[in-house]
């Protein structure tokens, strides 16, 4: 588990290039000593003995075995301090934090992160959600009892709600930086390096200039404070692997219900990250992440390379507070220039929390699609056509960290969609969107659009693009992709059930608006080798075999959702706009 080899090398390179944990030995040792300034030093710092080295070598494996721990601490100096409180789940590779203080702005911000991707939710929290995890029995039974919410769990004071709010999340690629600009990104990247399945080999670790700093206490229990590397010595990078296959917007699906044609209203082009890539592409116009920029500067620096056995050459020095069993209970480090950090790991805080929908939602339990499920899915388009359509709500994260929402209608029988799309932060990006079987049109009023698209549709200023042109150009957007796929999911003939069973997979059972649903992946022709959970589209289907939600992996690394309310029938939508 943990980050991939290439991901770890990338993080190490950015850490070193950005100076995140460099030159730390003297600074950190002084800082550690100052924590016990009122205590006489029992002995001077020294190299680790065999037992201490073995405890340090087993620290990451112990973290992985424990899986999930509470996390609480501070980043930055006292005058500009950011406070964090939450959890890190190393087995799921997921961090969930409540962040407050000057580094987070005036209000509390919720943070969830996976390797390479950060989701942020500013503002007040909504009322606690009533729904709990979907029971596995929901797939076999459509009874109301199957969708009963779980009893709410207690949330420790100061921590974020165990069930993440569904709205308001902005998503962007993680960007490392060597200053105070991205303290949370630096923290998240470092946390993912603190766990691995196997113990570190004592040979390479023992060759580094680790130190025993002092004996101390943590919450009344004795601990040893050790100075060690952020990373083990890394092998030379191997040749870069070929990019994972991603669905090309111009590729037609060979079978199943996936018929993706294209990829936040079309105000900027987007590029989908490769499934499984730990570092999605930087935002358009940025050129590269802050870490990459600094890496370029570092490559031209005349400064000599650090000694390979120094802590500086291995990600930098970290103060690890280890108890008698080798459990990490505190760490002290510098996450960037001017960002001294102290983080306490609360080993007893193992509450299970839910991943936000912006990062993919509840955990997957991938299984092969059964013969009965394949038959239902093969008739999905037919059932959708019979259902006619209804009201549509879209939530779309876009680069470089914006959020757009859309409301309107979809008519499957006429193959029409008509939405008003709002940028939550900047109304100049608001558009009206009209799509039919041959193309998509947008209208940019330059001001806030109404919550629902006006009827009749306004005339003039519409910009039209044909699907076939979008499929072969670089001007496609995630919103285009999502709308095209939604329109394609209605037909009067069934799909190939055998193909669906062979290539599709059920990711999990969930509950949407108190209705049990199955969440399925039906990979396109170019996604046949993509691991479960990494395809671009996900289909939420109820027990009646009708689509309830369409989900898209966006260029941000997060997910967009298009929700359908078939109880609210669409009005008479305009066939054309001009």
């Amino acid at each position: 588990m943990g980050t991939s080899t290439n991901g770890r090398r990338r993080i190490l390179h950015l850490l070193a290039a950005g100076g995140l944990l460099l030159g730390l030995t003297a600074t950190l040792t002084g800082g550690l000593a100052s924590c016990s300034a009122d205590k006489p030093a029992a002995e001077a710092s020294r190299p680790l003995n065999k037992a201490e080295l073995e405890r340090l070598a087993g620290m990451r494996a112990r973290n992985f075995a424990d899986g999930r721990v509470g996390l609480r601490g501070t980043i930055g100096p006292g005058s500009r301090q950011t406070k964090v409180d939450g959890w890190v789940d190393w087995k799921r590779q997921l961090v969930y934090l409540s962040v407050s203080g000057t580094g987070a702005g005036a209000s509390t911000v919720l943070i969830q992160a996976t390797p390479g991707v950060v989701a942020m939710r500013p503002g007040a929290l909504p009322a606690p959600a009533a729904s709990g995890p979907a029971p596995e029995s929901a797939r076999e039974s459509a009874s109301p009892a199957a969708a009963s919410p779980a009893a709410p769990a207690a949330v420790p004071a100061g921590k974020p709600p165990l069930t993440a709010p569904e709205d308001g999340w902005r998503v962007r690629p993680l960007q490392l930086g060597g200053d105070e600009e991205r303290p949370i990104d630096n923290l998240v990247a470092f946390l993912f390096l603190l766990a691995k399945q196997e113990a570190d080999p004592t040979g390479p670790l023992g060759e580094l200039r680790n130190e025993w700093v002092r004996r101390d206490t943590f919450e009344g229990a004795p601990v040893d404070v050790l100075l060690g590397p952020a990373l083990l010595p890394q092998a030379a990078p191997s040749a870069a692997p070929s990019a994972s296959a991603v669905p090309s917007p111009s590729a037609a699906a060979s079978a199943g219900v996936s018929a993706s044609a294209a990829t936040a209203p079309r105000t900027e082009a987007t590029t989908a990250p490769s499934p499984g890539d730990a570092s999605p592409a930087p935002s358009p116009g940025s050129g590269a992440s802050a870490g990459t920029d600094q890496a370029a500067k570092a490559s031209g620096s005349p400064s000599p390379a650090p000694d390979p056995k120094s802590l500086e050459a291995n990600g930098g020095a970290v103060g690890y507070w280890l108890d008698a069993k080798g459990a990490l209970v505190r760490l002290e480090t510098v996450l960037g220039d001017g960002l001294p950090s102290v983080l306490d790991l609360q080993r007893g805080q193992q509450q299970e929390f839910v991943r936000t929908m912006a990062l993919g939602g509840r955990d997957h339990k991938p299984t092969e699609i059964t013969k009965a499920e394949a038959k239902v899915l093969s008739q999905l388009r037919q059932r959708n056509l019979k259902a006619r359509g209804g009201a549509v709500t879209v939530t779309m994260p876009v680069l470089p960290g914006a959020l757009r929402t859309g409301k309107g209608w979809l008519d499957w029988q006429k193959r029409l969609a008509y939405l008003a799309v709002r940028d939550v932060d900047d109304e100049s990006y608001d558009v009206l969107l009209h799509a039919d079987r041959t193309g998509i049109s947008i209208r940019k009023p330059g001001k806030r659009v109404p919550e629902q698209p006006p009827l009749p549709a306004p005339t003039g200023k519409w910009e039209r693009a044909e699907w076939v042109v979008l499929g072969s150009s670089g001007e496609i957007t995630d919103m285009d992709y999502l709308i095209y796929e939604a329109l394609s999911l209605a037909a009067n003939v069934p799909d190939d059930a055998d193909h669906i069973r062979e290539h599709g997979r059920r990711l999990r059972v969930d509950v949407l608006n108190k209705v049990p649903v199955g969440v399925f992946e039906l990979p396109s022709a170019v996604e046949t080798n993509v691991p479960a959970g990494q395809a671009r589209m996900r289909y939420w289907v109820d027990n009646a075999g009708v689509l309830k939600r369409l989900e898209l992996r966006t260029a941000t690394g997060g997910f967009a959702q298009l929700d359908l309310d078939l109880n609210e029938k669409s009005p008479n939508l305009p066939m054309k706009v001009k």
Side-chain angles (χ1 to χ4, degrees):
M1 295 289 177
T3 55
S4 66
T5 301
N6 287 331
R8 288 171 63 85
R9 286 172 180 154
R10 185 185 300 111
I11 291 172
L12 174 62
H13 177 67
L14 291 177
L15 287 174
L20 299 184
L21 297 170
L22 299 182
L24 201 61
T25 306
T27 302
L28 185 56
T29 304
L32 291 170
S34 68
C35 294
S36 297
D38 57 337
K39 303 177 183 178
E43 71 181 278
S45 62
R46 54 169 172 76
L48 303 183
N49 61 36
K50 181 179 179 181
E52 292 160 353
L53 178 62
E54 289 177 347
R55 273 197 288 163
L56 183 60
M59 179 264 295
R60 299 179 205 275
R62 173 64 183 268
N63 287 341
F64 185 85
D66 285 353
R68 183 170 53 250
V69 300
L71 180 72
R72 181 179 59 198
T74 60
I75 304 172
S79 59
R80 302 183 307 279
Q81 202 167 75
T82 297
K83 298 179 181 179
V84 298
D85 201 340
W87 299 271
V88 54
D89 189 325
W90 283 298
K91 288 188 176 179
R92 291 195 291 165
Q93 292 193 298
L94 185 62
V95 171
Y96 186 23
L97 302 172
S98 174
V99 182
S100 60
T102 55
S107 62
T108 298
V109 178
L110 295 184
I111 300 285
Q112 285 203 6
T114 58
V117 183
V118 177
M120 311 180 73
R121 187 189 186 279
L125 295 180
S131 60
E136 181 65 19
S137 60
R139 181 168 67 95
E140 289 77 25
S141 171
S143 65
S148 298
V155 182
K159 296 196 181 296
L162 294 176
T163 299
E166 295 185 358
D167 65 335
W169 290 91
R170 280 84 163 157
V171 185
R172 58 170 175 77
L174 183 144
Q175 297 175 333
L176 300 178
D179 53 24
E180 299 182 37
E181 182 181 359
R182 302 277 186 191
I184 297 302
D185 296 53
N186 298 348
L187 170 62
V188 166
F190 181 54
L191 288 175
F192 286 131
L193 300 175
L194 288 174
K196 58 195 293 280
Q197 281 185 290
E198 308 84 13
D200 297 331
T202 56
L205 181 61
E207 293 178 356
L208 304 184
R209 296 197 179 99
N210 311 296
E211 292 183 36
W212 177 94
V213 178
R214 70 173 185 276
R215 190 79 165 160
D216 212 314
T217 60
F218 181 83
E219 296 183 350
V223 296
D224 285 299
V225 182
L226 311 180
L227 200 62
L231 283 173
L232 277 182
Q234 300 291 297
S238 58
S242 59
S244 303
V246 294
S248 170
S250 60
S254 60
V257 301
S258 179
S260 303
T263 124
R266 192 168 53 261
T267 53
E268 69 280 318
T270 60
T271 302
S274 174
D277 190 346
S279 285
S283 58
S286 66
S289 68
T292 306
D293 287 340
Q294 295 189 32
K297 295 176 183 177
S299 64
S301 171
S303 301
D307 184 334
K309 294 185 178 182
S310 69
L311 299 182
E312 178 184 5
N314 293 276
V318 180
Y320 297 106
W321 295 47
L322 302 181
D323 67 14
K325 297 180 180 179
L328 178 66
V329 295
R330 171 176 286 179
L331 60 88
E332 291 184 82
T333 188
V334 175
L335 290 172
D337 296 342
L339 294 175
S341 306
V342 179
L343 301 167
D344 292 347
L345 278 70
Q346 302 162 305
R347 315 298 301 200
Q349 294 283 351
Q350 295 188 318
Q351 292 83 1
E352 183 175 357
F353 58 89
V354 178
R355 182 187 290 104
T356 173
M357 288 306 307
L359 293 180
R362 300 187 186 278
D363 295 345
H364 301 322
K365 296 180 180 179
T367 63
E368 293 183 355
I369 290 178
T370 66
K371 186 175 182 179
E373 289 171 336
K375 182 178 180 180
V376 170
L377 291 172
S378 72
Q379 298 171 352
L380 176 63
R381 295 182 201 256
Q382 292 174 297
R383 291 191 172 94
N384 289 343
L385 186 63
K386 186 177 180 179
R388 305 185 67 88
V392 168
T393 303
V394 173
T395 302
M396 173 72 67
V398 297
L399 292 171
L403 175 65
R404 298 193 180 138
T405 60
K407 287 189 176 182
W409 303 277
L410 182 148
D411 188 325
W412 270 316
Q413 294 204 337
K414 295 181 179 179
R415 288 287 292 272
L416 294 173
Y418 184 37
L419 286 80
V421 181
R422 292 179 167 186
D423 187 293
V424 172
D425 302 310
D426 188 347
E427 64 183 30
S428 67
Y429 286 99
D430 287 12
V431 300
L432 297 178
L433 181 155
H434 180 275
D436 57 29
R437 65 180 67 245
T438 62
I440 184 169
S441 301
I442 62 170
R443 188 177 190 271
K444 306 174 184 177
K447 59 182 180 181
R448 183 64 74 194
V449 298
E451 186 174 356
Q452 293 271 23
L455 289 171
T459 60
K461 300 182 180 180
W462 288 93
E463 300 175 13
R464 173 84 175 175
E466 304 300 313
W467 293 123
V468 66
V469 175
L470 284 174
S472 59
S473 74
E475 298 300 316
I476 52 181
T477 72
D478 288 326
M479 185 67 82
D480 296 334
Y481 201 113
L482 186 66
I483 296 300
Y484 180 92
E485 184 71 12
L487 286 174
S488 74
L489 292 176
N492 56 11
V493 293
D495 290 299
D496 186 341
D498 291 337
H499 182 94
I500 289 173
R501 189 177 183 189
E502 180 181 358
H503 297 285
R505 47 236 176 180
R506 178 171 64 86
L507 297 181
R508 67 180 187 270
V509 172
D510 214 313
V511 171
L512 182 63
N513 296 326
K514 301 182 180 180
V515 175
V517 294
V519 182
F520 297 91
E521 273 189 344
L522 302 164
S524 64
V526 295
E527 294 180 302
T528 53
N529 296 321
V530 171
Q534 295 299 318
R536 190 152 195 207
M537 305 296 306
R538 297 176 183 175
Y539 305 83
W540 295 49
V541 182
D542 67 11
N543 287 333
V546 177
L547 185 75
K548 291 296 184 182
R549 168 177 285 176
L550 185 61
E551 202 165 22
L552 169 73
R553 186 188 303 274
T554 74
T556 66
F559 288 84
Q561 294 85 33
L562 184 151
D563 289 343
L564 286 151
D565 182 357
L566 302 180
N567 293 320
E568 183 181 336
K569 298 303 179 183
S570 64
N572 187 23
L573 302 181
M575 295 298 295
K576 297 289 183 181
V577 291
K578 59 183 179 180

